[in-house]
Amino acid sequence: MKIDILTLFPEMFAPLKESIIKRAVEDGKIEINIINIRDFAVPPHFKCDDEPFGGGAGMVMMCEPLFKAIESVKKDNSKIYYMSPRGKVFNQELAKELSTFEHIIFICGHYEGIDQRVIDYFNIEELSIGDYVLTGGELPAMVVSDSIIRLIPGVIKEDSTKEESFSENLLEYNQYTRPAEFRGIKVPEILLSGNHKKIEEFRKNESITITKKNRPDLLKGE
């Protein structure tokens, strides 16, 4: 998979050069390019924003730099997403879908957003990571990238993605590791029993309890 991220602030993407994502890049499972939109603006000022037609607060990102930036990387198989609070809310099912694409372009907006003609011309889908507003699209682009990269085969162990939050509409059960007792607090005895069937039942019940408490909307019939 190839991911191109169009941004006014490329220095914000240092986290994509660390940990599991760094290894995925080094292993050739993913290619990530951070593209500075200002490189496509008109010199000498490289202006990328202007006042909105019709008046109003703030500034709007201009057509020309974005058109040129998109056209510099767009291919026939490209899927383009604009990170926006008014977009479709991202979730695990969508992460699985996006992880199968060959090429994704993320556009990181700023100010009052981007000129609508960019969205219309390229048939761009708007994507949100939640019902709140951020200062720009860089953090959402990183969140979505991280979420889909870890699902690419070979990036992490397959078993790690089978039993986790949102599998079967349930949140993940509690996890424990050594020591079996710490400051008088013990790990549930069943997890030390070696009885895998009982452990599976225990974990399933824990998942249901946690989901009922924190996200009852995920349960069927809710």
Side-chain angles (χ1 to χ4, degrees):
M1 173 188 279
K2 180 181 179 183
I3 296 177
D4 287 314
I5 301 175
L6 311 186
T7 174
L8 292 173
F9 301 97
E11 62 276 9
M12 289 185 66
F13 289 88
L16 295 185
K17 299 178 181 178
E18 302 295 338
S19 188
I20 291 172
I21 297 179
K22 178 182 178 181
R23 292 200 300 271
V25 171
E26 291 174 346
D27 292 342
K29 293 181 171 59
I30 178 74
E31 177 185 346
I32 304 174
N33 299 305
I34 311 300
I35 295 146
N36 192 337
I37 298 169
R38 292 192 190 279
D39 291 342
F40 300 89
V42 177
H45 302 296
F46 298 96
K47 186 176 176 62
C48 289
D49 61 287
D50 210 331
E51 296 176 354
F53 283 124
M59 305 290 275
V60 176
M61 290 177 66
M62 300 162 63
C63 280
E64 185 172 4
L66 283 168
F67 263 71
K68 289 181 177 179
I70 293 169
E71 289 169 343
S72 74
V73 294
K74 184 180 181 297
K75 306 295 182 184
D76 290 340
N77 65 345
S78 302
K79 300 284 187 179
I80 310 177
Y81 294 94
Y82 167 47
M83 308 312 300
S84 165
R86 72 180 193 180
K88 181 178 181 180
V89 178
F90 186 71
N91 59 24
Q92 189 68 9
E93 286 304 310
L94 199 50
K96 292 177 182 177
E97 179 184 341
L98 268 61
S99 71
T100 65
F101 296 158
E102 294 180 8
H103 183 212
I104 295 177
I105 301 171
F106 290 119
I107 301 173
C108 303
H110 264 270
Y111 318 120
E112 295 304 309
I114 69 176
D115 192 303
Q116 183 64 33
R117 289 169 291 184
V118 179
I119 297 171
D120 295 341
Y121 183 88
F122 291 102
N123 193 29
I124 296 171
E125 185 170 343
E126 297 184 55
L127 201 58
S128 168
I129 62 168
D131 296 336
Y132 46 88
V133 180
L134 299 171
T135 56
E138 283 75 17
L139 292 175
M142 279 188 275
V143 167
V144 175
S145 295
D146 185 284
S147 180
I148 63 178
I149 290 169
R150 65 187 298 277
L151 295 174
I152 296 172
V155 171
I156 60 176
K157 293 181 180 179
E158 186 178 355
D159 288 347
S160 297
T161 63
K162 284 184 176 179
E163 293 186 1
E164 59 182 1
S165 290
F166 308 110
S167 298
E168 300 180 354
N169 286 333
L170 293 173
L171 300 181
E172 190 174 16
Y173 46 79
N174 295 331
Q175 298 280 8
Y176 303 88
T177 188
R178 293 180 178 83
E181 182 175 344
F182 180 73
R183 294 188 179 180
I185 308 170
K186 296 182 179 180
V187 170
E189 195 67 32
I190 186 65
L191 298 178
L192 310 177
S193 68
N195 188 325
H196 298 296
K197 184 177 180 180
K198 292 291 186 182
I199 290 172
E200 184 178 350
E201 291 175 356
F202 173 79
R203 286 175 166 172
K204 183 65 174 289
N205 289 332
E206 269 208 331
S207 288
I208 293 172
T209 299
I210 293 167
T211 306
K212 282 182 177 179
K213 177 184 177 182
N214 295 340
R215 289 293 303 277
D217 56 295
L218 292 175
L219 295 172
K220 294 180 180 179
E222 290 290 328

